[in-house]
Amino acid sequence: MSLSISDVLLLPRLQAMRLRAGQAGEHHTVRWPYVAENESIAEWVLGGELVFVTGINQLRSEANLCQLVREAHERRCAGLVILTGPEYIREIPDSVLHEADRLGLPLIEQPYALPMIVVTEAIGSALVQAQWLGSSRQQFVEHLLEGHLVDDAVRAHRAASLAIDLRQPRQVLVLTLGGSAALFRSYAPDMAETLLQSFRQGVLSHLTRALAELGEPWPIVSQAEQWLALLPAAASDEAQRNRSLVEQLLHTLNDGDTPLRVFGGLSAVCPQARDLPRGLTQARQALVAAQSFPERLGLCCFEELGVLELLVAIRDRSLLDRFVQTTLGPLLQHDQSHHAALTATLEAWTQTNGNLVAAAQRLNVHRNTLNYRMQQIQILTGLDLNDAQHRLNIAIALMIWRLSPHQSHTRTLP
């Protein structure tokens, strides 16, 4: 369970604090309070902080306060608290309020008469309590997903004690983060780590916000570079709504200039709590396809897998590798040795149902170039591209190759 800005304002003894601007961010999760002592906060926060600005140790001009609002927004802070009174910051300028409203950053006014020790103690105690309850609820959801709670009576009792409603059907969503290695290759280690932690916090914040829109959200389970969430799906149209919501979420998260990218897998609807372990398996299977097939734009639903459901369920990897080697081995070896693009050409031809004109347009090459490549492919593989069984084998082999864990899927340019 998390502590939001709106929760902070409802804490006992903090009634004197007022939300002056940025009401759109009332749902922001507070990780801890931070008192700003420097002119800038950009280098001192990682995201989720409720930043307190006193003006006692650092003169705060109107321009500086506007700067702090922007920095708090850019660094994904939960909100900004400005202490006001006759001695230091007398009042919050209108320009600062307007900037907070524009960015949707909660801006709270706290009178100096309300001691900081009272505020930090109240928030600290609430954070500890929320963390304990949140940890218990998160652990319960994790046990549900992993199939540890098989006894119906025990499951129902624990759910009731943690205020988790098990009656509603759910879909399991698995998000995973990719691109960390590329990030550390592109930036200095300290900068890369800062960007990574900020991005992770952004994923959690945006996912929390998206789940809140659906009402009565369950806790999000974080596992290394993955996030597990359960989306309500009681009505017949809610599965499509969930897909659209995740699509928008991924679009928002991936609309940046770093190598970091988020991929998602969504299960079929799980009617009961006992179905959730199966849903987790389905979501992870869909995630493999989402990561392997760029045309899916980072998201795949289990019910969209088709034949991929069979492929990702085969545990003996050697069977799949052998099929790929038998069907496409000489072609893959030729491309690797000659830095060629025959495999990409065969993929384009397959995806356009053998339409040479459409495949040439997709690859942005001349029709004669495509014809020459297709001749090379037939010579190397010995496959008859007019044979229906051969074409089926090619399509399946390409799917397996794309799903291969040791295949980088770096596409060679035509």
Side-chain angles (χ1 to χ4, degrees):
M1 192 136 182
S2 59
L3 188 71
S4 69
I5 292 292
S6 56
D7 293 330
V8 168
L9 296 171
L10 293 175
L11 291 176
R13 299 190 292 170
L14 302 190
Q15 290 85 353
M17 299 176 69
R18 293 191 300 142
L19 182 62
R20 295 289 310 280
Q23 283 81 0
E26 282 184 294
H27 60 274
H28 287 182
T29 298
V30 178
R31 292 200 297 139
W32 60 67
Y34 169 76
V35 179
E37 300 285 356
N38 301 304
E39 181 180 357
S40 169
I41 62 171
E43 297 182 13
W44 308 102
V45 294
L46 293 175
E49 295 87 356
L50 182 58
V51 180
F52 287 79
V53 180
T54 68
I56 296 174
N57 297 320
Q58 178 74 41
L59 182 64
R60 301 295 183 183
S61 64
E62 182 174 342
N64 180 244
L65 291 175
C66 285
Q67 172 192 335
L68 293 179
V69 169
R70 288 189 290 270
E71 290 180 350
H73 170 72
E74 291 166 1
R75 303 299 292 169
R76 297 189 175 97
C77 293
L80 200 67
V81 181
I82 298 179
L83 277 68
T84 59
E87 294 188 31
Y88 301 102
I89 304 174
R90 294 189 176 184
E91 61 180 5
I92 303 175
D94 288 341
S95 61
V96 178
L97 297 174
H98 292 155
E99 189 70 356
D101 272 332
R102 183 180 71 85
L103 298 173
L105 178 82
L107 195 154
I108 299 169
E109 182 174 3
Q110 174 187 333
Y112 283 109
L114 177 60
M116 277 292 295
I117 184 63
V118 172
V119 176
T120 54
E121 181 184 19
I123 294 176
S125 298
L127 283 172
V128 170
Q129 185 177 6
Q131 188 175 33
W132 178 84
L133 180 57
S135 178
S136 298
R137 298 178 85 239
Q138 186 181 80
Q139 186 181 62
F140 175 72
V141 170
E142 192 168 12
H143 286 174
L144 278 179
L145 289 168
E146 293 175 352
H148 296 330
L149 297 171
V150 295
D151 187 282
D152 290 345
V154 172
R155 187 168 54 228
H157 175 75
R158 290 201 59 196
S161 67
L162 295 171
I164 292 179
D165 184 1
L166 296 180
R167 295 171 298 177
Q168 187 171 195
R170 301 268 169 173
Q171 283 182 282
V172 182
L173 171 66
V174 179
L175 298 181
T176 193
L177 179 61
S180 297
L183 180 73
F184 278 85
R185 288 194 299 267
S186 304
Y187 296 89
D190 289 347
M191 176 58 72
E193 183 64 28
T194 298
L195 290 172
L196 179 60
Q197 295 303 328
S198 178
F199 193 89
R200 284 173 174 165
Q201 180 62 30
V203 173
L204 185 58
S205 176
H206 280 91
L207 180 56
T208 301
R209 189 182 311 172
L211 294 178
E213 293 178 6
L214 303 179
E216 297 298 325
W218 283 18
I220 298 167
V221 177
S222 299
Q223 296 180 337
E225 298 288 286
Q226 287 194 347
W227 296 267
L228 315 181
L230 292 112
L231 285 59
S236 58
D237 62 340
E238 287 185 344
Q240 182 56 46
R241 176 210 61 186
N242 290 343
R243 193 192 198 291
S244 299
L245 180 141
V246 177
E247 280 181 348
Q248 182 58 47
L249 175 65
L250 293 180
H251 176 75
T252 301
L253 292 172
N254 294 331
D255 189 26
D257 55 1
T258 72
L260 297 174
R261 290 293 179 269
V262 181
F263 301 88
L266 196 58
S267 76
V269 175
C270 302
Q272 300 183 54
R274 66 171 64 96
D275 301 317
L276 291 176
R278 172 177 54 81
L280 178 58
T281 300
Q282 292 178 349
R284 284 177 169 159
Q285 290 175 341
L287 180 63
V288 172
Q291 292 176 283
S292 302
F293 294 86
E295 61 269 19
R296 295 186 180 274
L297 303 178
L299 174 63
C300 181
C301 297
F302 178 78
E303 293 170 326
E304 301 168 356
L305 285 177
V307 71
L308 287 174
E309 178 184 348
L310 301 177
L311 297 179
V312 298
I314 296 175
R315 297 185 179 276
D316 188 351
R317 182 72 218 181
S318 65
L319 292 175
L320 300 177
D321 290 340
R322 189 158 58 246
F323 181 79
V324 173
Q325 185 62 30
T326 301
T327 309
L328 300 176
L331 179 64
L332 297 173
Q333 185 176 2
H334 175 273
D335 273 5
Q336 186 174 14
S337 301
H338 296 81
H339 302 288
L342 296 183
T343 306
T345 299
L346 185 59
E347 278 193 292
W349 178 82
T350 302
Q351 291 168 0
T352 56
N353 297 316
N355 187 317
L356 294 175
V357 174
Q361 291 175 343
R362 174 172 293 199
L363 294 168
N364 196 27
V365 298
H366 193 274
R367 169 73 179 272
N368 292 339
T369 301
L370 183 66
N371 285 331
Y372 174 72
R373 289 183 183 180
M374 297 305 297
Q375 292 172 9
Q376 283 186 294
I377 290 170
Q378 292 192 81
I379 294 171
L380 284 168
T381 62
L383 296 170
D384 181 1
L385 300 183
N386 293 317
D387 185 285
Q389 184 60 51
H390 286 189
R391 291 162 75 121
L392 178 61
N393 289 347
I394 289 170
I396 294 175
L398 286 171
M399 287 183 185
I400 298 172
W401 175 72
R402 292 278 291 277
L403 290 168
S404 173
H406 51 75
Q407 168 61 37
S408 65
H409 307 309
T410 300
R411 310 301 300 275
T412 307
L413 293 176

